[in-house]
Protein backbone atom coordinates (compact mmCIF):
# COMPACT_ATOMS: atom_id res chain seq x y z
CA UNK A 1 0.00 0.00 0.00
CA UNK A 2 1.30 3.46 -0.89
CA UNK A 3 2.36 5.50 2.08
CA UNK A 4 0.73 8.85 2.67
CA UNK A 5 2.23 11.85 4.43
CA UNK A 6 0.34 11.03 7.60
CA UNK A 7 1.97 7.62 7.79
CA UNK A 8 5.12 9.40 8.87
CA UNK A 9 3.66 11.25 11.82
CA UNK A 10 5.46 8.80 14.12
CA UNK A 11 8.57 10.87 13.38
CA UNK A 12 6.85 13.90 14.90
CA UNK A 13 5.97 11.88 18.00
CA UNK A 14 9.56 10.74 18.36
CA UNK A 15 10.92 14.26 17.92
CA UNK A 16 8.43 15.50 20.50
CA UNK A 17 9.70 13.05 23.10
CA UNK A 18 13.32 13.97 22.40
CA UNK A 19 12.66 17.73 22.54
CA UNK A 20 11.29 17.36 26.05
CA UNK A 21 14.80 16.43 27.14
CA UNK A 22 16.25 19.49 25.42
CA UNK A 23 13.82 22.27 26.22
CA UNK A 24 10.74 21.58 28.27
CA UNK A 25 8.77 24.40 26.67
CA UNK A 26 8.33 22.25 23.56
CA UNK A 27 5.96 20.16 25.67
CA UNK A 28 3.26 22.67 24.80
CA UNK A 29 3.06 21.17 21.31
CA UNK A 30 1.64 18.05 22.95
CA UNK A 31 -1.65 19.89 23.28
CA UNK A 32 -2.14 19.11 19.60
CA UNK A 33 -2.47 15.41 20.52
CA UNK A 34 -5.32 16.39 22.79
CA UNK A 35 -7.09 19.00 20.74
CA UNK A 36 -6.97 17.47 17.26
CA UNK A 37 -8.65 14.14 18.20
CA UNK A 38 -11.31 16.00 20.16
CA UNK A 39 -12.00 18.45 17.36
CA UNK A 40 -12.22 15.65 14.77
CA UNK A 41 -14.58 13.58 16.89
CA UNK A 42 -16.80 16.50 17.83
CA UNK A 43 -16.90 18.06 14.36
CA UNK A 44 -16.93 14.95 12.18
CA UNK A 45 -18.05 12.20 14.54
CA UNK A 46 -15.18 9.89 13.65
CA UNK A 47 -12.04 8.54 15.26
CA UNK A 48 -10.12 9.96 12.31
CA UNK A 49 -7.21 10.90 14.54
CA UNK A 50 -6.68 7.35 15.79
CA UNK A 51 -7.45 5.81 12.42
CA UNK A 52 -5.03 8.03 10.48
CA UNK A 53 -2.96 10.67 12.14
CA UNK A 54 -1.84 9.45 15.54
CA UNK A 55 1.94 9.29 15.50
CA UNK A 56 2.13 7.58 18.86
CA UNK A 57 0.07 4.63 17.66
CA UNK A 58 2.29 4.39 14.59
CA UNK A 59 5.39 4.48 16.77
CA UNK A 60 4.12 1.56 18.84
CA UNK A 61 3.25 -0.47 15.77
CA UNK A 62 6.70 0.13 14.28
CA UNK A 63 8.59 -0.70 17.49
CA UNK A 64 6.40 -3.68 18.34
CA UNK A 65 5.94 -4.88 14.77
CA UNK A 66 8.95 -4.17 12.58
CA UNK A 67 11.44 -4.09 15.44
CA UNK A 68 9.86 -7.11 17.09
CA UNK A 69 9.73 -5.59 20.56
CA UNK A 70 6.37 -7.16 21.36
CA UNK A 71 5.37 -10.61 22.56
CA UNK A 72 2.21 -10.23 20.44
CA UNK A 73 0.02 -11.89 23.05
CA UNK A 74 -3.62 -11.17 23.68
CA UNK A 75 -4.36 -8.36 26.08
CA UNK A 76 -6.08 -9.58 29.29
CA UNK A 77 -9.83 -9.42 29.16
CA UNK A 78 -10.16 -6.95 32.02
CA UNK A 79 -7.98 -4.42 30.24
CA UNK A 80 -10.44 -4.14 27.38
CA UNK A 81 -13.48 -4.04 29.65
CA UNK A 82 -15.50 -0.85 29.69
CA UNK A 83 -14.99 -0.54 33.44
CA UNK A 84 -11.23 -0.42 33.10
CA UNK A 85 -11.18 1.76 29.99
CA UNK A 86 -13.57 4.36 31.34
CA UNK A 87 -12.08 4.09 34.82
CA UNK A 88 -8.64 4.83 33.42
CA UNK A 89 -10.08 7.75 31.47
CA UNK A 90 -11.59 9.24 34.62
CA UNK A 91 -8.37 8.71 36.57
CA UNK A 92 -6.41 10.31 33.76
CA UNK A 93 -8.71 13.33 33.64
CA UNK A 94 -8.52 13.83 37.41
CA UNK A 95 -4.73 13.78 37.19
CA UNK A 96 -4.90 16.17 34.26
CA UNK A 97 -6.98 18.69 36.19
CA UNK A 98 -4.69 18.34 39.17
CA UNK A 99 -1.82 19.28 36.87
CA UNK A 100 -3.80 22.31 35.65
CA UNK A 101 -4.43 23.28 39.28
CA UNK A 102 -0.71 23.15 40.07
CA UNK A 103 -0.09 25.32 37.03
CA UNK A 104 -2.70 27.78 38.25
CA UNK A 105 -1.03 27.96 41.67
CA UNK A 106 2.25 28.96 40.04
CA UNK A 107 0.48 31.55 37.90
CA UNK A 108 -1.23 32.89 41.00
CA UNK A 109 2.10 33.18 42.78
CA UNK A 110 1.09 30.77 45.54
CA UNK A 111 3.64 28.15 44.55
CA UNK A 112 7.11 28.35 43.07
CA UNK A 113 8.05 26.65 39.84
CA UNK A 114 9.03 23.03 40.35
CA UNK A 115 11.55 21.99 37.73
CA UNK A 116 10.80 18.30 37.65
CA UNK A 117 8.90 15.53 35.97
CA UNK A 118 6.56 13.15 37.72
CA UNK A 119 6.46 9.71 36.18
CA UNK A 120 3.51 7.36 36.65
CA UNK A 121 1.97 10.01 38.90
CA UNK A 122 4.41 8.94 41.62
CA UNK A 123 8.10 9.16 40.84
CA UNK A 124 9.59 12.63 40.84
CA UNK A 125 12.63 13.16 38.66
CA UNK A 126 14.81 16.26 38.40
CA UNK A 127 14.52 17.81 34.94
CA UNK A 128 16.22 21.19 35.39
CA UNK A 129 18.57 20.64 32.46
CA UNK A 130 15.67 21.11 30.08
CA UNK A 131 14.74 24.48 31.51
CA UNK A 132 16.58 27.58 30.34
CA UNK A 133 14.20 30.19 31.64
CA UNK A 134 11.29 31.75 29.85
CA UNK A 135 10.43 35.29 28.86
CA UNK A 136 6.90 34.53 29.91
CA UNK A 137 5.48 33.73 33.33
CA UNK A 138 7.00 30.74 35.12
CA UNK A 139 3.52 29.19 35.10
CA UNK A 140 4.06 28.60 31.38
CA UNK A 141 7.01 26.41 32.28
CA UNK A 142 5.09 24.68 35.08
CA UNK A 143 2.44 23.62 32.58
CA UNK A 144 5.17 22.33 30.27
CA UNK A 145 6.70 20.20 33.03
CA UNK A 146 3.28 18.87 34.00
CA UNK A 147 2.19 18.16 30.48
CA UNK A 148 5.43 16.45 29.55
CA UNK A 149 5.07 14.29 32.67
CA UNK A 150 1.74 13.07 31.30
CA UNK A 151 3.12 12.45 27.83
CA UNK A 152 6.16 10.56 29.12
CA UNK A 153 4.08 8.54 31.58
CA UNK A 154 1.63 7.45 28.91
CA UNK A 155 4.50 6.59 26.59
CA UNK A 156 6.04 4.38 29.27
CA UNK A 157 2.75 2.63 29.98
CA UNK A 158 2.28 2.19 26.23
CA UNK A 159 5.75 0.70 25.85
CA UNK A 160 5.18 -1.73 28.71
CA UNK A 161 1.92 -3.03 27.29
CA UNK A 162 3.48 -3.04 23.82
CA UNK A 163 6.14 -5.45 25.05
CA UNK A 164 3.74 -7.59 27.07
CA UNK A 165 0.84 -7.75 24.63
CA UNK A 166 0.24 -6.56 21.07
CA UNK A 167 2.21 -3.59 19.69
CA UNK A 168 -0.67 -1.13 19.92
CA UNK A 169 -2.17 -2.38 23.20
CA UNK A 170 -2.02 1.18 24.45
CA UNK A 171 -4.80 2.02 21.99
CA UNK A 172 -7.16 -0.24 23.94
CA UNK A 173 -7.01 1.94 27.04
CA UNK A 174 -5.61 5.22 25.69
CA UNK A 175 -7.71 7.98 27.29
CA UNK A 176 -7.89 9.95 24.04
CA UNK A 177 -9.05 6.86 22.18
CA UNK A 178 -11.69 6.11 24.79
CA UNK A 179 -12.84 9.71 24.96
CA UNK A 180 -13.16 10.12 21.18
CA UNK A 181 -15.02 6.80 20.90
CA UNK A 182 -17.34 8.00 23.66
CA UNK A 183 -18.01 11.26 21.82
CA UNK A 184 -18.72 9.31 18.63
CA UNK A 185 -21.12 7.05 20.53
CA UNK A 186 -23.05 10.08 21.71
CA UNK A 187 -23.06 11.59 18.24
CA UNK A 188 -23.68 8.51 16.09
CA UNK A 189 -24.89 5.82 18.47
CA UNK A 190 -28.43 5.82 17.18
CA UNK A 191 -27.54 5.69 13.50
CA UNK A 192 -25.21 2.73 13.64
CA UNK A 193 -27.74 0.05 14.47
CA UNK A 194 -29.97 1.20 11.64
CA UNK A 195 -27.23 0.66 9.09
CA UNK A 196 -27.92 -3.09 9.10
CA UNK A 197 -24.34 -4.32 9.13
CA UNK A 198 -23.20 -7.62 7.70
CA UNK A 199 -23.50 -10.48 10.16
CA UNK A 200 -21.75 -9.76 13.39
CA UNK A 201 -20.52 -11.94 16.19
CA UNK A 202 -23.76 -11.74 18.05
CA UNK A 203 -26.08 -12.31 15.13
CA UNK A 204 -24.25 -15.21 13.46
CA UNK B 1 -21.05 -15.83 -1.37
CA UNK B 2 -18.65 -15.57 -4.26
CA UNK B 3 -17.53 -18.97 -5.50
CA UNK B 4 -13.80 -19.58 -5.50
CA UNK B 5 -13.27 -17.42 -2.45
CA UNK B 6 -12.40 -18.90 0.90
CA UNK B 7 -15.33 -19.34 3.21
CA UNK B 8 -13.24 -18.28 6.13
CA UNK B 9 -14.13 -14.77 7.16
CA UNK B 10 -13.11 -12.25 9.79
CA UNK B 11 -15.69 -11.88 12.54
CA UNK B 12 -15.49 -8.94 14.93
CA UNK B 13 -16.79 -8.96 18.48
CA UNK B 14 -18.10 -5.47 17.91
CA UNK B 15 -19.14 -4.51 21.40
CA UNK B 16 -15.52 -4.86 22.56
CA UNK B 17 -14.01 -3.07 19.55
CA UNK B 18 -12.23 0.18 20.43
CA UNK B 19 -12.41 1.54 16.86
CA UNK B 20 -8.66 2.13 16.70
CA UNK B 21 -8.55 1.23 13.02
CA UNK B 22 -5.44 -0.96 13.18
CA UNK B 23 -7.32 -3.68 11.31
CA UNK B 24 -8.30 -1.28 8.53
CA UNK B 25 -4.65 -0.39 7.95
CA UNK B 26 -3.45 -3.96 7.46
CA UNK B 27 -6.32 -5.42 5.47
CA UNK B 28 -5.03 -6.14 1.95
CA UNK B 29 -8.60 -6.20 0.59
CA UNK B 30 -9.84 -2.95 2.15
CA UNK B 31 -12.62 -5.05 3.62
CA UNK B 32 -12.93 -3.22 6.94
CA UNK B 33 -14.41 0.16 7.76
CA UNK B 34 -14.92 1.97 11.04
CA UNK B 35 -18.56 2.79 11.60
CA UNK B 36 -18.98 6.29 12.98
CA UNK B 37 -15.91 6.06 15.21
CA UNK B 38 -17.60 3.37 17.29
CA UNK B 39 -16.75 -0.04 15.90
CA UNK B 40 -15.23 -1.84 12.94
CA UNK B 41 -17.27 -3.75 10.37
CA UNK B 42 -16.06 -6.37 7.91
CA UNK B 43 -17.46 -6.56 4.43
CA UNK B 44 -17.58 -10.31 3.84
CA UNK B 45 -17.84 -9.81 0.09
CA UNK B 46 -14.29 -8.48 0.18
CA UNK B 47 -12.79 -10.46 3.04
CA UNK B 48 -10.64 -13.45 2.06
CA UNK B 49 -10.03 -14.64 5.59
CA UNK B 50 -6.29 -14.03 5.52
CA UNK B 51 -6.22 -13.26 9.25
CA UNK B 52 -3.96 -10.22 9.07
CA UNK B 53 -6.52 -8.11 10.94
CA UNK B 54 -6.82 -10.76 13.65
CA UNK B 55 -3.06 -10.70 14.27
CA UNK B 56 -3.01 -6.90 14.38
CA UNK B 57 -6.05 -6.11 16.52
CA UNK B 58 -4.70 -4.82 19.86
CA UNK B 59 -7.91 -5.77 21.63
CA UNK B 60 -7.92 -9.25 20.06
CA UNK B 61 -11.59 -9.03 19.19
CA UNK B 62 -11.29 -10.52 15.69
CA UNK B 63 -11.52 -14.22 14.94
CA UNK B 64 -11.45 -16.05 11.64
CA UNK B 65 -14.45 -18.30 11.36
CA UNK B 66 -15.78 -20.77 8.88
CA UNK B 67 -19.01 -19.26 7.60
CA UNK B 68 -21.91 -20.89 5.70
S1 LIG C 1 -5.99 5.21 20.84
FE1 LIG C 1 -4.57 6.81 21.54
S2 LIG C 1 -2.53 6.12 20.90
FE2 LIG C 1 -4.04 4.88 19.82
S3 LIG C 1 -4.31 5.88 17.86
FE3 LIG C 1 -5.88 6.73 19.24
S4 LIG C 1 -5.00 8.54 20.19
FE4 LIG C 1 -3.33 7.36 19.25
S1 LIG D 1 -9.19 -11.58 7.24
FE1 LIG D 1 -7.81 -10.51 5.80
S2 LIG D 1 -9.17 -9.88 4.12
FE2 LIG D 1 -10.51 -10.40 5.84
S3 LIG D 1 -10.83 -8.46 6.87
FE3 LIG D 1 -9.10 -9.43 7.89
S4 LIG D 1 -7.29 -8.61 6.85
FE4 LIG D 1 -9.07 -8.16 5.54
S1 LIG E 1 -8.15 -3.47 15.30
FE1 LIG E 1 -9.64 -4.50 16.65
S2 LIG E 1 -10.22 -2.96 18.16
FE2 LIG E 1 -9.20 -1.87 16.48
S3 LIG E 1 -10.88 -1.24 15.13
FE3 LIG E 1 -10.16 -3.22 14.38
S4 LIG E 1 -11.45 -4.73 15.39
FE4 LIG E 1 -11.71 -2.83 16.51
Amino acid sequence: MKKKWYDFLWIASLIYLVLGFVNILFAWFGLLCFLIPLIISIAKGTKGYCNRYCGRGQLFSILGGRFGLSRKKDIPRWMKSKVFRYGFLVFFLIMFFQMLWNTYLVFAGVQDLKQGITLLWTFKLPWHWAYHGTLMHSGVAQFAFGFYSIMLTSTILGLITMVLFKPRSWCVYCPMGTMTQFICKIKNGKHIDQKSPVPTFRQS
Amino acid sequence: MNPGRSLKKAVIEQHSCVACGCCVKVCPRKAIEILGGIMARVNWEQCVGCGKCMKECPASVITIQEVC
Side-chain angles (χ1 to χ4, degrees):
Chain A
M1 244 175 284
K2 206 170 154 279
K3 289 239 189 284
K4 300 263 176 42
W5 65 270
Y6 48 74
D7 290 319
F8 297 96
L9 286 171
W10 59 271
I11 299 173
S13 289
L14 199 58
I15 292 174
Y16 177 81
L17 290 171
V18 173
L19 285 178
F21 284 79
V22 179
N23 189 330
I24 197 66
L25 294 178
F26 283 113
W28 274 85
F29 282 106
L31 272 181
L32 293 173
C33 309
F34 274 59
L35 297 178
I36 296 172
L38 287 179
I39 291 170
I40 293 179
S41 63
I42 292 170
K44 292 182 68 188
T46 70
K47 274 188 70 166
Y49 183 78
C50 294
N51 301 165
R52 270 218 176 126
Y53 307 111
C54 179
R56 164 183 303 235
Q58 292 169 10
L59 196 58
F60 288 142
S61 61
I62 290 172
L63 292 176
R66 213 176 302 162
F67 287 86
L69 298 175
S70 170
R71 296 194 311 152
K72 303 210 170 98
K73 300 278 186 217
D74 290 346
I75 198 165
R77 195 153 271 281
W78 61 269
M79 284 190 81
K80 53 184 169 180
S81 69
K82 296 216 165 41
V83 174
F84 177 71
R85 290 180 61 221
Y86 284 100
F88 187 69
L89 171 62
V90 169
F91 170 75
F92 191 89
L93 287 178
I94 292 172
M95 290 314 199
F96 186 76
F97 283 108
Q98 194 198 32
M99 183 277 284
L100 289 182
W101 175 247
N102 282 333
T103 305
Y104 164 76
L105 290 179
V106 173
F107 268 113
V110 183
Q111 261 181 25
D112 289 333
L113 172 66
K114 292 196 194 75
Q115 297 178 34
I117 294 283
T118 311
L119 282 186
L120 302 166
W121 304 282
T122 319
F123 307 106
K124 297 200 186 323
L125 304 182
W127 211 265
H128 48 81
W129 64 79
Y131 184 58
H132 318 284
T134 166
L135 295 175
M136 290 160 281
H137 197 282
S138 58
V140 172
Q142 189 64 69
F143 178 82
F145 279 116
F147 202 83
Y148 193 69
S149 300
I150 293 177
M151 296 300 273
L152 208 55
T153 295
S154 53
T155 305
I156 290 171
L157 286 177
L159 286 173
I160 294 172
T161 48
M162 172 194 85
V163 172
L164 290 178
F165 313 119
K166 296 230 183 132
R168 280 181 65 161
S169 299
W170 167 253
C171 294
V172 174
Y173 63 102
C174 165
M176 291 320 293
T178 309
M179 193 152 40
T180 48
Q181 189 190 26
F182 181 68
I183 293 169
C184 291
K185 277 185 180 166
I186 294 174
K187 277 194 75 126
N188 309 327
K190 285 192 214 93
H191 306 302
I192 294 303
D193 295 333
Q194 291 159 14
K195 275 190 177 173
S196 73
V198 293
T200 65
F201 190 72
R202 280 170 149 179
Q203 288 156 6
S204 59
Chain B
M1 272 320 137
N2 278 332
R5 289 228 178 113
S6 160
L7 292 179
K8 287 201 159 110
K9 304 286 175 195
V11 177
I12 300 179
E13 208 181 309
Q14 285 176 320
H15 58 98
S16 298
C17 169
V18 300
C20 59
C22 303
C23 51
V24 177
K25 283 194 183 167
V26 296
C27 177
R29 306 273 314 177
K30 289 195 166 61
I32 313 183
E33 62 174 328
I34 304 292
L35 293 179
I38 300 178
M39 57 178 72
R41 172 171 69 176
V42 184
N43 177 356
W44 280 3
E45 294 293 320
Q46 292 296 319
C47 175
V48 291
C50 68
K52 285 200 174 148
C53 54
M54 177 179 72
K55 286 207 190 81
E56 195 73 13
C57 176
S60 301
V61 296
I62 309 181
T63 46
I64 302 295
Q65 294 184 10
E66 203 74 62
V67 297
C68 316

